[in-house]
């Protein structure tokens, strides 16, 4: 798990540590998927993953992170359920004979242009004092994030 930095910094805003953690976790989710680019799907998975990881290690959530839980619940973004859906979809799409050994990408994933713009906007909002739940709500309101949430929470592949 990426360490969570929750120290408030005047220049970056009080939610900048959680936003940095979200960005780092989105890259990690892209690596897990084998993607060369960080997409909105990875941001959504990252947001759910952070809370899941803290629960697994029985660490209490920082207050701002805890306050994002209702937003994740509203969209049905339980990390365990999301992973279960992704595994089920992979079982339907990939036959056992088609599975190849994983390859190490030549470079770490980078944010797609749309994701880079979304993160830049989020950093500006953090610098203006927006809370992590407010930043997450703004990210999730973007059409690309809404499409990713719909795709991730769909019951059918």
């Amino acid at each position: 798990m990426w360490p969570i930095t929750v120290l408030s910094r005047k220049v970056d805003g009080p939610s900048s540590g959680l936003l940095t953690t979200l960005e780092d976790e989105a890259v990690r989710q892209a690596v897990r998927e084998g993607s060369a680019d960080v997409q909105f799907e990875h941001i959504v998975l990252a947001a759910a993953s952070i809370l899941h990881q803290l629960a697994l290690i029985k660490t209490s959530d920082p207050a701002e992170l805890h306050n994002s839980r209702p937003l994740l619940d509203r969209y049905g973004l339980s990390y365990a359920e999301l992973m279960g859906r992704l595994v089920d979809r992979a079982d339907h799409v990939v036959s056992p004979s088609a599975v190849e050994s994983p390859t190490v990408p030549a470079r770490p994933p980078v944010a797609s242009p749309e994701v880079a713009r979304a993160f830049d906007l989020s950093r500006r909002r953090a610098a203006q004092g927006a809370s992590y739940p407010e930043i997450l709500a703004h990210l999730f309101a973007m059409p690309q994030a809404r499409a990713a949430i719909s795709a991730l929470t769909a019951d059918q592949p």
Side-chain angles (χ1 to χ4, degrees):
M1 182 176 108
W2 293 97
I4 294 182
T5 308
V6 293
L7 298 174
S8 298
R9 296 183 3 206
K10 275 187 171 180
V11 175
D12 297 332
S15 58
S16 64
L18 287 171
L19 184 56
T20 299
T21 301
L22 179 69
E23 291 177 24
D24 291 344
E25 183 62 20
V27 170
R28 185 175 160 277
Q29 292 295 328
V31 167
R32 289 181 69 192
E33 188 179 272
S35 177
D37 297 312
V38 178
Q39 301 292 333
F40 277 89
E41 170 184 315
H42 304 123
I43 296 172
V44 173
L45 289 170
S49 170
I50 293 168
L51 290 170
H52 178 75
Q53 291 175 49
L54 288 172
L56 287 176
I57 61 172
K58 297 179 177 147
T59 300
S60 59
D61 307 342
E64 272 200 273
L65 188 60
H66 180 75
N67 291 337
S68 68
R69 214 176 270 280
L71 178 67
L72 295 170
D73 290 345
R74 183 174 355 134
Y75 287 108
L77 298 175
S78 157
Y79 189 70
E81 290 176 17
L82 291 173
M83 288 295 99
R85 286 183 180 116
L86 291 175
V87 168
D88 287 345
R89 289 178 192 160
D91 287 345
H92 288 69
V93 174
V94 180
S95 68
S97 62
V99 176
E100 297 177 14
S101 61
T103 59
V104 177
R107 63 169 174 80
V110 294
S112 68
E114 290 176 326
V115 168
R117 282 190 295 278
F119 279 148
D120 285 342
L121 179 60
S122 297
R123 279 187 224 103
R124 280 182 282 192
R125 291 177 61 82
Q128 294 170 349
S131 70
Y132 179 73
E134 291 171 334
I135 291 169
L136 206 55
H138 189 269
L139 279 169
F140 285 2
M142 294 178 173
Q144 304 92 326
R146 298 299 289 264
I149 291 168
S150 293
L152 286 168
T153 57
D155 290 325
Q156 299 297 321

